[in-house]
Amino acid sequence: MTSETRFRDRTEAGKLLANQLTQYANRPDVLVLGIPHGGVIVAFEVAKALNAPLDICLVRKLGVPGHPELAIGAVAADGFEVLNEDLLDWLRISGHTIAAVADLELQELQHHDLIYRGDRSPLDICDRIVILVDDGLSTGAMMRAAIGMLKPQQPQRIIIAVPVAPLETGDRLRTEVDEVVCLMTPSQLGGIGLWYEHFNQTTDEQVCELLEAATRNRQSNDRSLLR
């Protein structure tokens, strides 16, 4: 893989992704949601370019006990679960174990909701065009959990926007949402981080800073429009 086939970092990826979403710029019904952690950096650039509000969409991977890097599914903040049934059957993981893992991850989601939002309520989804952003997709389980949480809130449209995802994952998600925007669709992903020159871990502090900066950007733009 050459450097020409990779993004420099999540910031560059977000700017390039925003270039494919210009039809949604300066629309009052558009909302950008980033999936923490790394997806918020990408989403921040998209929201800034589109002059749209930014919020988070809280989902967590469900890992195999003792092997957390091996995902058996994902869970959203409202408890909506997506499970890899084939892997669960192969590993013979019980429903009790799944419930215990999901309960721990829900506690983490509640904890991070307090960190990121404090006493601020989530932005309203109903009748909005929701652009759901992450820094890349592998199986798409976390994105599907996010979709499952958002749909009951009756958004006008759901658009998935990611810098990189396997072609198969993107095609599968197209059956669940209104639009999928993806800059690169490799036949073999090999890990999302391989498609970035710099793929540093994103901290809670960075996520909070970006959410605050996005609010300031919107307030500044609104004041400019009133002049």
Side-chain angles (χ1 to χ4, degrees), residues 56-195:
I56 49 173
C57 185
L58 288 169
V59 294
R60 295 272 294 185
K61 179 175 70 175
L62 297 177
V64 175
H67 302 278
E69 73 286 349
L70 183 58
I72 54 175
V75 63
D78 69 343
F80 185 90
E81 291 182 6
V82 171
L83 299 175
N84 184 335
E85 300 290 353
D86 291 339
L87 184 58
L88 290 172
D89 290 343
W90 183 65
L91 294 173
R92 297 183 179 179
I93 297 176
S94 69
H96 176 75
T97 299
I98 297 168
V101 171
D103 185 61
L104 287 173
E105 296 302 343
L106 281 170
Q107 291 178 41
E108 281 295 314
L109 287 170
Q110 292 170 3
H111 172 66
H112 280 89
D113 185 60
L114 287 173
I115 291 174
Y116 298 148
R117 288 200 180 100
D119 58 0
R120 179 176 61 84
S121 299
L123 297 180
D124 189 23
I125 302 295
C126 185
D127 290 331
R128 305 288 288 274
I129 297 174
V130 177
I131 302 177
L132 192 51
V133 181
D134 206 349
D135 54 13
L137 301 178
S138 179
T139 66
M142 288 178 60
M143 190 63 78
R144 289 173 58 212
I147 294 165
M149 179 173 63
L150 294 176
K151 280 189 173 180
Q153 300 179 57
Q154 299 182 314
Q156 182 187 149
R157 288 168 59 83
I158 298 178
I159 300 160
I160 291 173
V162 292
V164 59
L167 184 61
E168 180 182 0
T169 299
D171 287 344
R172 186 164 59 245
L173 288 170
R174 280 186 177 88
T175 66
E176 300 186 31
V177 297
D178 298 284
E179 185 180 354
V180 175
V181 177
C182 184
L183 301 180
M184 291 195 291
T185 55
S187 57
Q188 297 293 325
L189 183 71
I192 295 169
L194 295 177
W195 298 89

Side-chain angles (χ1 to χ4, degrees), residues 197-217:
E197 293 178 28
H198 303 287
F199 197 69
N200 299 329
Q201 185 174 355
T202 308
T203 66
D204 289 337
E205 290 76 12
Q206 285 177 287
V207 172
C208 292
E209 289 170 3
L210 289 171
L211 292 173
E212 291 171 3
T215 299
R216 290 195 300 270
N217 288 343

